[in-house]
Structures are given as C-alpha cells and as structure tokens.
Amino acid sequence: MDFALSADQIAIQDAARAFAEGQLAPNSARWDETRHFPVDVMREAAQLGFAGIYVNEDVGGTGLSRLDASIIFEALSYGDVPTAAYLTIHNMASWMIDRFGSDDLRQRYLPRLTTMELIASYCLTEPGSGSDAANMRTSARLDGDHYVLNGGKAFISGGGVSDVYVVMARTGGDGAKGVSAFVVEKGAPGLTFGANERKMGWNSQPTAQVNFDDCRVPVANRIGQEGEGFRFAMMGLDGGRLNIASCSLGGAQLALDTAKAYLETRNQFGKPLKDFQALQFKLADMATELEAARLMVRRAAHALDNKDPQATKLCAMAKRFATDAGFQVANDALQLHGGYGYLQDYPLERIVRDLRVHQILEGTNEIMRVIIAREIFRQ
C-alpha cells in the first residue's frame, strides 16, 4: 500500500494548483459578490483537460482515474469552491453520456462537452422527491421517434445557462426500475427554467428549477435502455460524492492555512496567538481531521477505480466524513479569527457558506448513513 502520489499525479496536482492560484483565487470574492458564473475561466480549465477528466480520449476526454479527479478537484477548490464544484457536475454528466450512451450520442455531444463549448447539468432532484429520488414524478412518454417529457427538476446547478441537461424521467412503473435517462438540449420545445435561486453559498453558479411541458426529446437522445436511468444516476453519484468531498478538502485546507497564518501574526495578551496551547490543540485537531478525510476520500477513489465491491459504501463514508469535517474545519477557522472571521475582508465566511451545502447535495449526509448501513448488512 503506497500513500505517495505518482510523478504523473504530482504533475497533475501542480497544474491544477497553478490554475487555481492564477485564475480562481484572485477572482473568488468578486464572483461571489457579483454572482458571476465564470464560463470563460471554466473553458480555460477545459483546455487543461479538466472538463472531461474521466471521459474517454476518443471523444476529447483526458481518460484519467477517479483518484486523479479527486486530486484535481481538491486543488481547484483551494482557489474557488463553487467553480470547482460546478466542474464536478459537468464531469459527472459528461461521464454518464460517455459510459452509457450510444456511440452516436457520444460523438454528437462529448467533443463539445470536453472543451466546454457546451456546458452540462445533471437533473435528478425534484420539488417533491429529494432524498427519495426513486419516487420522481417527471415522466417521459414515447410518441413515435420522440419522448414527451412532463414535470420538473429542482436545485439544478446551471439551470437556464447550461446547454445540455442529463435528465432522469419515468418511462415505466413506480420505483427505480421505471426510470430512464435522456440528454435534453437547451432550446428544446417545452423546456423552461425558473428564476435563479437566492442561496447561502455557491453564489457564482446559477441554480434554478428546470421544467418540462410536453418537451419533445428524440429517442436517439436516450442514454442506454429504458429502465436503466436510475442505476446510471446512482453510479454517477458514487463518483460525484467523491468529487464534492474533494472540494470540501480544498476549501477546508484554505481555511486551515488562513487560520495558521492568522495565529502566527495576531498578538493578544502580549504574545502571538500561536503560543496559546488551547489554540495549538484546536489547530492540531483541525489538521488531523482534514488529513483523515483526505485519506478516506483517496481510499474510496482507489476502490471505485478498481471496481471494489465495497466502493459504494466507501464513497458514502468518504462523502459523509469529508464534508462534515471540511465544514467543521472551516467553521473553526472562522472562530479562530474572532470578529475578523465574520468579515468579507477575509475568506472564512465565504468558505463556510460554500462548504455548508456539501453536507446536503449528492445525497444528504443522513442518506449517506442509510447507504452505509444498508451495505454493511448486505455484506
């Protein structure tokens, strides 16, 4: 068991860190304040291969591993959490088309998705079915060489802006086996969007409801066979959970580094804060939790890459632990700054706001516990 990164992985990490330092970090506060969606900067990231990380090379992907992706997303989120997080969503949607779509579907969309000429969104959650995703009500009725979609999806990152929507909709009976997956293009008749949601964090990416009113989608845009969509969506979420956990690692690492620098320079009661043992212990615990989270995420990524039968359980464990730990580290870093941590002049309040949603999306951390317990009893 080797915990060191390979020379190639170090090079990938260095490239992602350099991009984060040069293109993301200097703009993060402004993007948050102005709610700017940095599509141009994401397209620059795509030129480095970060828009199709584990998509096959024949359609423009980089063909890297899930562990490589985790390393990249952690490095990018050190510069800006919401932008890195959006790239994880784009990658997940692109992977579903690559992994399960027909060759025609792959060739039509992926060369433009891997360059981010087209931007992708993932549409699973509905207003009436969040954690109970298999109980979705969005329907897809076959009508000749098209499906007619009716219903709506909620909390969709990129809603109204993205060009391509990977949508799960019901083609059959109740439950998971009645769900199929489709690629829906922006501009399709009957596709509309709600207003941009006003959120606590992730302000630099749009979030909106996606609505289908007799929306016609070609049969050729179905991903895989009827009834396979929910399985595809869950397989996508195994990797998606690792990706969002990796974003928590990057954001929390920035918070930890910021707190360390503050303890070294701030003086109270005649000495630097770093000389107070209580604060030393707090920083030590933060660093330990973050390192444990990183190990769990990389262990789960290795399992997913190697098709370990425990991969789903390990991904849920890593997502639960890393997103909880990441938020706590960021919150503790804010507390160490006292009143200054609450000011927008420092990055801590923004990191706390951005990391909080990681405990909710890609399956809430309560649902992660459900998955873990289910897998324990199954084994």
Side-chain angles (χ1 to χ4, degrees):
M1 185 176 292
D2 185 357
F3 292 99
L5 301 183
S6 68
D8 286 345
Q9 287 169 333
I10 291 171
I12 291 167
Q13 184 181 59
D14 288 345
R17 283 176 172 173
F19 186 83
E21 181 180 355
Q23 303 299 321
L24 302 182
N27 299 303
S28 185
R30 178 173 59 84
W31 291 341
D32 175 73
E33 183 177 0
T34 62
R35 288 172 162 75
H36 173 69
F37 190 39
V39 173
D40 54 338
V41 175
M42 290 193 293
R43 285 176 176 153
E44 291 180 35
Q47 293 176 13
L48 298 174
F50 297 160
I53 296 172
Y54 37 88
V55 169
N56 284 302
E57 294 176 89
D58 68 309
V59 284
T62 314
L64 297 177
S65 70
R66 298 307 182 116
L67 178 54
D68 297 331
S70 175
I71 293 165
I72 290 168
F73 291 131
E74 178 180 351
L76 292 177
S77 60
Y78 191 92
D80 185 62
V81 170
T83 302
Y86 194 85
L87 286 169
T88 74
I89 296 165
H90 179 90
N91 272 270
M92 179 168 63
S94 298
W95 173 82
M96 285 184 65
I97 297 171
D98 184 45
R99 175 69 175 81
F100 303 113
S102 65
D103 191 57
D104 168 68
L105 204 61
R106 293 175 68 250
Q107 296 295 336
R108 275 195 287 135
Y109 289 106
L110 289 169
R112 291 181 291 164
L113 286 169
T114 53
T115 62
M116 291 197 85
E117 176 188 345
L118 299 179
I119 301 170
S121 289
Y122 174 89
C123 302
L124 176 65
T125 300
E126 297 185 1
S129 59
S131 294
D132 187 14
N135 195 35
M136 69 179 65
R137 288 292 174 259
T138 297
S139 64
R141 175 179 56 83
L142 186 61
D143 181 28
D145 58 358
H146 283 73
Y147 285 90
V148 180
L149 273 62
N150 281 284
K153 300 293 182 176
F155 309 123
I156 304 304
S157 293
V161 177
S162 290
D163 307 287
V164 170
Y165 298 84
V166 174
V167 179
M168 271 52 71
R170 186 165 302 285
T171 53
D174 293 340
K177 293 183 179 180
V179 175
S180 302
F182 302 90
V183 176
V184 182
E185 290 189 23
K186 186 179 182 180
L191 176 64
T192 59
F193 306 97
N196 191 13
E197 304 286 2
R198 298 170 63 242
K199 308 187 297 292
M200 173 182 174
W202 278 25
N203 287 321
S204 61
Q205 55 164 277
T207 303
Q209 187 159 320
V210 178
N211 303 307
F212 309 94
D213 183 10
D214 287 338
C215 178
R216 297 185 67 83
V217 178
V219 169
N221 279 30
R222 189 186 65 219
I223 301 173
Q225 300 302 311
E226 282 196 4
E228 294 184 318
F230 195 79
R231 178 171 64 87
F232 298 162
M234 294 303 102
M235 291 176 69
L237 283 176
D238 278 344
R241 287 163 183 154
L242 293 182
N243 294 343
I244 211 64
S246 302
C247 291
S248 287
L249 297 178
Q253 187 66 59
L254 175 59
L256 178 64
D257 291 347
T258 304
K260 173 180 175 288
Y262 186 76
L263 296 184
E264 291 172 332
T265 57
R266 173 75 165 171
N267 288 282
Q268 291 286 279
F269 304 102
K271 60 181 179 180
L273 290 180
K274 72 181 182 66
D275 291 343
F276 290 88
Q277 191 177 60
L279 302 186
Q280 294 173 359
F281 282 11
K282 172 59 72 175
L283 200 71
D285 285 344
M286 292 160 64
T288 302
E289 291 295 305
L290 187 54
E291 185 63 21
R294 183 175 291 112
L295 289 170
M296 287 192 72
V297 171
R298 293 184 180 178
R299 164 73 177 96
H302 179 271
L304 195 59
D305 284 330
N306 288 279
K307 298 180 174 56
D308 188 318
Q310 296 191 81
T312 292
K313 180 184 75 175
L314 293 171
C315 289
M317 286 178 167
K319 193 270 182 182
R320 202 288 299 165
F321 189 84
T323 57
D324 281 349
F327 177 78
Q328 190 60 53
V329 166
N331 199 46
D332 286 343
L334 188 156
Q335 186 71 19
L336 287 172
H337 280 71
Y340 289 109
Y342 202 66
L343 300 181
Q344 293 182 358
D345 304 84
Y346 291 80
L348 281 310
E349 61 84 29
R350 185 173 71 255
I351 298 170
V352 168
R353 288 189 288 107
D354 285 337
L355 293 190
R356 180 60 182 87
V357 74
H358 295 191
Q359 296 169 292
I360 299 172
L361 50 76
E362 310 291 33
T364 67
N365 285 4
E366 290 73 24
I367 291 297
M368 294 306 98
R369 292 175 171 90
V370 171
I371 294 169
I372 294 162
R374 181 192 68 204
E375 294 299 313
I376 289 170
F377 285 114
R378 177 178 294 169
Q379 293 164 7

